[in-house]
Amino acid sequence: MLSFRTFRASIGLVLACSVLPATLVAQDTTGVGAITGAITRQDGSPAPDVAVCVIETSQCAVSGPDGRFRIPDVRGGAYRLEITPAGAARD
């Protein structure tokens, strides 16, 4: 036979589990993508270690040895990017 305390804890757990999935489903990821690209020098060679930041969200990425960068979890829209060369300080 269940005691009142055990019964109350069981009911609390069932309620918590029934609310949790609704919270997880409510996360809106519609239109979320990534900004990707490659930074090159004037001569066409890759530019590594360049900071690329989305001004409106302050999300940043640094270009790899091949000059490529990826900024994930960005909603669709128009954005301005701030490009900071390697070794330069960001404002």
Side-chain angles (χ1 to χ4, degrees):
M1 179 175 234
L2 292 174
S3 70
F4 178 71
R5 183 174 284 166
T6 304
F7 179 73
R8 189 172 64 187
S10 297
I11 292 296
L13 182 61
V14 168
L15 288 175
C17 289
S18 65
V19 172
L20 183 61
T23 302
L24 295 177
V25 172
Q27 294 176 355
D28 181 15
T29 58
T30 304
V32 175
I35 298 173
T36 60
I39 307 294
T40 58
R41 296 184 177 99
Q42 286 183 343
D43 64 5
S45 64
D49 302 320
V50 174
V52 181
C53 298
V54 180
I55 293 172
E56 291 81 3
T57 68
S58 29
Q59 290 174 279
C60 296
V62 176
S63 62
D66 59 356
R68 295 186 181 277
F69 68 91
R70 183 174 193 276
I71 303 172
D73 302 324
V74 179
R75 290 204 174 272
Y79 295 99
R80 294 175 295 152
L81 300 179
E82 178 182 53
I83 311 298
T84 306
R90 269 189 81 205
D91 291 334

